[in-house]
Amino acid sequence: QAFLSVTSILNVAVFRDHFVLEDLVEEMKKQSPALSFGPLRPDGQIAVQGPFPALRVLREFLLSKAKSLSEEDRREGKSHQRLRTKLQEHRGATETRNSVRDAHEEKQVVVLDTDIYHYMRHLLPKIFQANDVVISGVTDGDITTVCIENAERKAGAAQGLKTKKKIEFYSVELQKILRKERICFKEHSIGEKQRYKQLCEGLKPRYPGVVIFPYDTHIDVVGASADVFAFTEQVK
């Protein structure tokens, strides 16, 4: 099983009346650095390629944009005085949020493929170790959400962003080279599972770039393509 990219065609023409589409695309690129963007077509369509979790985050970002525009359109149908009041309230709330953000800084969030996350945790643990930040991961099936929270206000803010960029960089690079192979148990006895696990553990020193993840019915082997192939052939 290779860590393949997903390609999606997005139609951002719906935002044409509210945004300069080229500026919106640039904002999307900053929002989703793990994705590759094709040229923006005259009809508002753009091809986006990358890991599914990153596409999912981009989709939520665009849906949030569309929802905010819809709410603004509804407000514009009300009286001018009511609209002005709403805008003042919104501006005041925004200033308050910005003040809080400046004081505390929001936590950074990175969405990763679960296998890549665990691979990084095992072989590149220093990526998740940084001063002034607290890093945690919440796994939901194939997706793991990594939260980077500031332990200190000023130092933590800069370090949190730096750590996020580092995690994103390594996850994208690993996605290009990693492969996963699954070794299924022919039987499900405790003895067979133990034999497989012992055999894999015995082979690991010969393949330091391979990480194994044992489960009740199988063992997943993650690493570079050549290493994974050689490792699983040895096990078989």
Side-chain angles (χ1 to χ4, degrees):
Q1 178 183 351
F3 292 90
L4 300 178
S5 297
V6 179
T7 300
S8 178
I9 304 297
L10 301 180
N11 190 341
V12 295
V14 66
F15 297 101
R16 196 185 299 276
D17 293 336
H18 301 274
F19 299 103
V20 176
L21 294 187
E22 289 77 5
D23 293 342
L24 177 61
V25 171
E26 289 301 317
E27 187 176 359
M28 290 161 57
K29 290 179 180 179
K30 293 179 181 178
Q31 173 74 19
S32 305
L35 298 175
S36 298
F37 292 78
L40 178 63
R41 303 175 187 173
D43 60 357
Q45 292 190 351
I46 184 171
V48 183
Q49 185 181 54
F52 172 74
L55 280 171
R56 183 178 180 182
V57 171
L58 178 61
R59 174 180 177 273
E60 295 301 320
F61 168 74
L62 292 175
L63 286 175
S64 176
K65 283 274 189 185
K67 182 179 179 181
S68 65
L69 292 176
S70 177
E71 292 173 350
E72 288 178 6
D73 288 341
R74 286 198 297 269
R75 286 198 299 267
E76 287 176 358
K78 299 177 182 179
S79 68
H80 177 73
Q81 179 61 37
R82 184 175 179 83
L83 174 60
R84 185 173 60 184
T85 301
K86 287 289 184 180
L87 289 175
Q88 289 173 344
E89 292 173 353
H90 175 71
R91 183 160 52 248
T94 301
E95 291 170 354
T96 301
R97 287 196 299 271
N98 288 340
S99 298
V100 173
R101 186 178 295 114
D102 290 339
H104 301 287
E105 290 295 335
E106 294 180 348
K107 65 182 178 182
Q108 305 289 341
V109 177
V110 185
V111 181
L112 303 177
D113 177 278
T114 294
D115 290 313
I116 291 179
Y117 167 74
H118 287 305
Y119 185 90
M120 293 169 67
R121 275 290 192 184
H122 277 76
L123 292 189
L124 302 169
K126 290 185 178 180
I127 296 176
F128 298 93
Q129 299 170 2
N131 295 328
D132 303 317
V133 296
V134 177
I135 304 174
S136 60
V138 178
T139 297
D140 182 11
D142 293 334
I143 297 174
T144 295
T145 302
V146 179
C147 294
I148 306 162
E149 299 183 84
N150 304 326
E152 301 290 340
R153 290 185 179 180
K154 293 182 179 179
Q159 189 63 44
L161 183 58
K162 181 180 179 181
T163 303
K164 175 186 177 182
K165 291 182 179 298
K166 184 187 296 185
I167 293 173
E168 289 175 336
F169 171 80
Y170 278 99
S171 67
V172 171
E173 293 303 307
L174 288 173
Q175 181 189 328
K176 299 175 183 177
I177 63 173
L178 291 184
R179 179 180 177 86
K180 180 171 73 174
E181 190 75 24
R182 179 162 293 177
I183 303 174
C184 296
F185 302 143
K186 295 179 180 179
E187 304 171 3
H188 298 295
S189 65
I190 296 177
E192 189 203 30
K193 296 176 185 177
Q194 191 63 27
R195 286 195 300 273
Y196 268 102
K197 186 175 181 180
Q198 289 175 349
L199 182 56
C200 289
E201 291 291 343
L203 287 171
K204 277 181 64 178
R206 296 173 54 185
Y207 301 93
V210 166
V211 178
I212 62 172
F213 303 107
Y215 297 93
D216 289 338
T217 58
H218 64 274
I219 292 177
D220 283 340
V221 183
V222 179
S225 181
D227 289 342
V228 167
F229 176 78
F231 186 94
T232 53
E233 286 300 305
Q234 287 287 321
V235 172
K236 293 174 183 178

